[in-house]
Amino acid sequence: MAILSKEEAQTILKKVLGFSKADECEVGLYGSEGGNIRYARNGVSTAGDISTLGLAVTSTYGKKSATSTIDQFDDKSLQTVVKRSEELAQLAPENPEYMPLQGPQNFPEGIGYISSTAAITPDTRAEAVLKSIQVCKDANLQAAGFLENTTGFNAVMNSKGLFAYNKDTDVIFSVTTRNAEGTASGYAARGFNDISKLDTLTATKIAASKANGSKGAKAIEPGKYTVILEPVAATYMLENMFRFDARQADEGRSFLSKPGGGTRLGEKLMDEKVTIYSDPFNAELPSATWDREGDKLEKTTWIDKGVVKNLSYSRYWAEKKGVKPLPGPANIIMEGGTASVEDLIKSTERGILVSRLWYIRMVDPQTLLLTGLTRDGTFYIENGKIMYPVKNFRFNESPVIMLNNVEALGKPERSISVESYRSYLIPPMKIRDFTFSSLSDAV
């Protein structure tokens, strides 16, 4: 019962709304099913299947709202959860930013559901992981990894007549490879809607190559270097930037805030090679076609050739500012070129190849200054060739400054951040004057 069809969800939601006596009522219904397998030291450690189904009822009286949730679906339980949300709403304080519910909308059907991914079995996962483990055994390395597939749906209906439904699938894979001495490490991560695009064998070979290539890392002086950020590293560097929220900018809490007040909408903040957009119908990274405020998600350009093109406005903030609401991005795609990481290396006279970043922390939200560490394969480049592995660095850098120093962008790849478990479509990047502030002995 975890994955309900559009018609099945509609039937339950209509029933729940029929129990409501509040001024306004919104009901959300959500479910997922899937499984995972985890391995370490070249052996499976855990595996399991997960199935969830839940319902949330939000009742409103005037500007007072409250939400109750439940995972039982008999009539008595549904009546109870509605009554509980109404009782709590009458006790709640008024929300000065409450916006009335929206009426009927026309949402197109998303493209994120792939039936073959929904049909993944424990055997499918085991076979994919076996390929990864065998690569590491053959390379005399130890592997630790995780593979998870999920099929999910979300549906919402309210007392004003709005109804929305979305179903999607997802499969994610990550692996860390290390030598027996613990002195060298490699990493790979992949995420797709379509299981047929997941190649754990090739991904693990890349991670194994990074690990065996990292042995005997040399210490070189920190400083400003030309760097090539592989897509995973670029994703970790950029994901703090992707909210594009107008309210944060207006209130002076963002890199998009203008000194003295206002936003930097329309200003050129980055190199003209930089274009970032969201699109629910991108074939490589599809998303839902609606958000929880009941707004349609459409293709939206946020940064156009380095210029801030749009900011997202909630319905409340849009009304306050006298503009149209614009939902925030449900996915992020950054345009690039056709070059591979190898092509970017060949074009580099002197620089550093960064496979991955981690332990990233915000230093200054208004400039987006970040600090963190390289890991899982950092290499010195000279005259277009990787010369030798180098010890890891601590960096202090802002993605905004970084995107002003773009020398070249490669072909975008779908990368997953295991910090947020979100996927992005990001190219490898060649960046000049990237700041490494100190060395690290961590592997």
Side-chain angles (χ1 to χ4, degrees), residues 292-303:
R292 283 309 304 268
E293 285 202 307
D295 289 316
K296 184 187 295 186
L297 296 174
E298 299 178 306
K299 184 175 181 178
T300 303
T301 300
W302 305 101
I303 305 291

Side-chain angles (χ1 to χ4, degrees), residues 190-211:
R190 302 289 186 267
F192 301 100
N193 295 80
D194 185 349
I195 182 63
S196 69
K197 296 179 180 179
L198 177 63
D199 183 350
T200 57
L201 178 68
T202 300
T204 308
K205 283 183 176 180
I206 292 170
S209 175
K210 293 288 178 69

Side-chain angles (χ1 to χ4, degrees), residues 13 17 24-27 101-104 156-163 293-294:
L13 293 172
L17 283 173
E24 292 185 334
C25 184
E26 181 178 82
V27 187
L101 297 177
Q102 298 209 78
V156 64
M157 184 182 288
N158 70 30
S159 54
K160 294 285 188 68
L162 181 141
F163 173 70
E293 285 202 307

Side-chain angles (χ1 to χ4, degrees), residues 146-149 170-174 190-192 416 421 423:
F146 183 67
L147 188 152
E148 181 177 38
N149 65 282
D170 193 40
V171 57
I172 61 170
F173 169 74
S174 63
R190 302 289 186 267
F192 301 100
I416 183 170
Y421 282 96
S423 291

Side-chain angles (χ1 to χ4, degrees), residues 377-389:
T378 308
F379 302 91
Y380 179 71
I381 302 166
E382 194 171 277
N383 297 325
K385 295 181 180 179
I386 292 177
M387 302 303 291
Y388 49 79

Side-chain angles (χ1 to χ4, degrees), residues 237-238 240-242 254-255 361-371 397-400:
M237 192 69 194
L238 295 180
N240 286 284
M241 191 182 76
F242 290 148
S254 164
F255 76 100
R361 296 293 182 268
M362 184 74 69
V363 177
D364 179 11
Q366 290 186 316
T367 62
L368 270 190
L369 180 63
L370 306 174
T371 189
E397 190 61 86
S398 163
V400 180

